[in-house]
Amino acid sequence: MSNLSYVSQNEGPWATYLEQIERVAPYLDGLQDYVDTLKRPKRALIVDVPIVMDDGTIRHFEGYRVQHNLSRGPGKGGIRYHPDVDLNEVMALSAWMTIKTAVVNLPFGGAKGGIRVDPRQLSPRELERLTRRYTSEISHIIGPQKDIPAPDVGTNPNVMGWIMDTYSSGQGHTVTGVVTGKPVHLGGSLGRIKATGRGVFITGQQVAEKIKLPLDGAKIAVQGFGNVGSEAAYLFADSKSIIVTIQDHTGTIFNPEGIDLAALKTHMETHQGVGGFAGAQVISDEEFWNVEMDILIPAALESQITVERAQKLTAKLVLEGANGPTFPEADDVLVQRGITVVPDVICNAGGVTVSYFEWVQDMSSYFWSEEEINERLDKLMIQAINDVWHKSSEKECTLRTAAFILGCERILKARKERGIFPG
């Protein structure tokens, strides 16, 4: 059975990932025999998650945990609660985590999990029951030296706390290192919530300087205004960039003079979204892609930048805060139009980097200040984006191809040096 053949290979995020691997394969001199390793998840688990609802009825949800590659260390990757979660998506997200951890040179492999559910439709108690039952179903394949989950779309530190407690109950003692992104008082790390958005800013700042794009006065468009998009927006605004348009699940807002982020934050505290914000005009979701901008930050879900949208973009720089937001064919259009793309596997790696810091702190039971966290994060992210830029110059390729070359080389060298058992 090739590439988990029960999953459609012709569409969806997994197909996008496979196309990316095909594109990078010719650059992997001396490692060609091992490329197929990257096209097959090591382990894919599908679980039934039955829970008793508040009204006494029983509902069944489908959950997943995929470990794509563990050659460089334990699996690392978030858990997503979303109505569109399926095996195709989780496989792709786990594979991108494999590449991402290698690009930043963390001692992890790639994994991902999820449940097909709309968490907004569950009560807090139902959400807790769902999380604990799901944890019990995947507990035999996770652990601080096996596979370390983290928050993703639809999950948060509270969910991570339930996972840690459920797993620890089965072990007979507290195991803080089984998840990252926990509440700080349960062994979480300072700086974790803002880390992904900070990484988007740091990599964007570095590349903008290299392509001679001044941040002062640069027009920014942000899709997705959760932890990632909002933190990136705040940091760019601090650098005197102008946030001209923002899109989230509640709508799209636009102000050519710049959106007041402080006022928007107050609005969102009561409205849970940007929709209805009085300090900007409402435009259609599709008009978002036509707005005059210098930098685009897609920080929502995958598969957002299509060929049609890529042809219309006015941006000079795209910073992929989301995983897999750009179709390969759209990537080609962006290249042809001279638009620089900082790919997801490096751009949004700030979150997994601070997750690594959290794991290290949990293992040593010694915790760092937020200032130390940010200093270490900035240093690692700057080193990683410079490594990717250097590889891009050396191979005369895009930053995405360069990031995949760098990540795949590290993964496949580890696979080659570990050998195949039995030989």
Side-chain angles (χ1 to χ4, degrees):
M1 183 169 63
S2 174
N3 296 345
L4 291 182
S5 59
Y6 49 83
V7 174
S8 172
Q9 302 304 306
N10 299 317
E11 57 185 26
W14 180 247
T16 297
Y17 165 75
L18 290 178
E19 173 70 17
Q20 291 168 339
I21 294 300
E22 290 296 331
R23 291 179 177 218
V24 79
Y27 295 92
L28 301 175
D29 302 332
L31 296 168
Q32 298 287 351
D33 290 346
Y34 294 88
V35 172
D36 274 1
T37 298
L38 298 168
K39 298 178 182 179
R40 292 170 169 80
K42 177 179 178 64
R43 183 176 292 115
L45 180 64
I46 305 173
V47 296
D48 176 41
V49 187
I51 65 166
V52 179
M53 306 299 285
D54 289 345
D55 63 4
T57 62
I58 297 173
R59 286 186 63 188
H60 292 256
F61 300 88
E62 188 160 281
Y64 310 89
R65 188 68 185 175
V66 175
Q67 295 167 350
H68 175 258
N69 187 285
L70 307 179
S71 295
R72 288 171 46 84
K76 190 77 192 76
I79 291 175
R80 176 172 294 191
Y81 289 178
H82 192 274
D84 295 333
V85 166
D86 61 18
L87 184 59
N88 185 301
E89 177 185 59
V90 176
M91 284 169 54
L93 292 170
S94 72
W96 284 320
M97 284 302 301
T98 298
I99 305 297
K100 188 182 302 184
T101 55
V103 172
V104 194
N105 211 12
L106 304 180
F108 291 137
K112 205 74 176 187
I115 301 175
R116 190 183 305 130
V117 61
D118 184 349
R120 293 172 295 183
Q121 301 300 315
L122 300 186
S123 72
R125 288 301 307 274
E126 289 169 339
L127 193 64
E128 180 177 353
R129 292 186 204 112
L130 181 80
T131 299
R132 290 185 181 277
R133 179 59 189 240
Y134 170 71
T135 303
S136 72
E137 296 291 346
I138 67 168
S139 61
H140 60 293
I141 66 168
I142 64 172
Q145 299 295 343
K146 292 181 179 181
D147 180 359
I148 307 127
D152 196 80
V153 175
T155 58
N156 57 29
N158 287 340
V159 172
M160 295 305 109
W162 293 329
I163 293 175
M164 186 199 79
D165 182 70
T166 306
Y167 180 86
S168 297
S169 296
Q171 301 299 307
H173 60 95
T174 300
V175 186
T176 56
V178 67
V179 290
T180 57
K182 304 178 294 295
V184 171
H185 58 277
L186 291 181
S189 177
L190 296 170
R192 172 62 183 84
I193 291 175
K194 296 181 178 180
T196 306
R198 185 178 182 88
V200 171
F201 171 73
I202 292 297
T203 55
Q205 180 187 51
Q206 294 295 309
V207 173
E209 183 178 328
K210 294 177 189 299
I211 66 173
K212 297 180 171 49
L213 173 61
L215 293 186
D216 190 346
K219 296 179 179 179
I220 312 284
V222 183
Q223 186 197 39
F225 209 64
N227 290 336
V228 180
S230 62
E231 179 62 17
Y234 294 139
L235 291 171
F236 274 107
D238 288 344
S239 296
K240 299 183 180 178
S241 299
I242 304 168
I243 314 302
V244 294
T245 183
I246 299 172
Q247 181 180 103
D248 72 1
H249 66 283
T250 64
T252 303
I253 58 174
F254 170 68
N255 186 335
E257 303 302 317
I259 294 168
D260 183 338
L261 295 184
L264 178 61
K265 182 178 180 181
T266 300
H267 169 84
M268 293 186 65
E269 287 173 356
T270 54
H271 294 83
Q272 282 73 54
V274 303
F277 177 57
Q281 65 185 86
V282 176
I283 61 175
S284 73
D285 288 348
E286 198 56 37
E287 283 182 281
F288 171 86
W289 305 96
N290 303 333
V291 168
E292 184 180 337
M293 65 183 80
D294 296 302
I295 299 175
L296 168 66
I297 305 174
L301 297 173
E302 60 273 358
S303 306
Q304 295 299 302
I305 303 180
T306 61
V307 168
E308 294 75 21
R309 289 171 176 172
Q311 290 168 339
K312 296 184 292 186
L313 275 183
T314 60
K316 302 176 183 69
L317 178 62
V318 176
L319 306 177
E320 293 188 336
N323 292 307
T326 309
F327 284 99
E329 297 81 3
D331 225 10
D332 295 337
V333 173
L334 297 176
V335 171
Q336 291 163 7
R337 298 188 61 217
I339 299 172
T340 302
V341 179
V342 181
D344 50 1
V345 292
I346 176 64
C347 190
N348 68 33
V352 72
T353 300
V354 175
S355 278
Y356 166 60
F357 296 163
E358 181 176 331
W359 180 74
V360 169
Q361 292 171 88
D362 284 338
M363 300 301 277
S364 63
S365 296
Y366 181 80
F367 293 85
W368 309 333
S369 69
E370 187 163 0
E371 183 181 3
E372 288 176 299
I373 295 289
N374 288 338
E375 182 180 335
R376 292 169 192 260
L377 171 62
D378 294 356
K379 183 178 179 180
L380 272 181
M381 293 298 291
I382 290 171
Q383 180 63 55
I385 191 61
N386 285 336
D387 286 348
V388 171
W389 187 270
H390 176 74
K391 183 69 74 173
S392 173
S393 300
E394 176 192 335
K395 298 292 186 179
E396 298 182 344
C397 62
T398 65
L399 293 180
R400 188 185 310 282
T401 299
F404 269 75
I405 293 171
L406 194 63
C408 291
E409 283 178 344
R410 289 171 175 168
I411 298 157
L412 297 183
K413 282 178 182 176
R415 177 67 276 167
K416 182 178 180 181
E417 290 171 6
R418 289 183 65 152
I420 305 293
F421 175 79

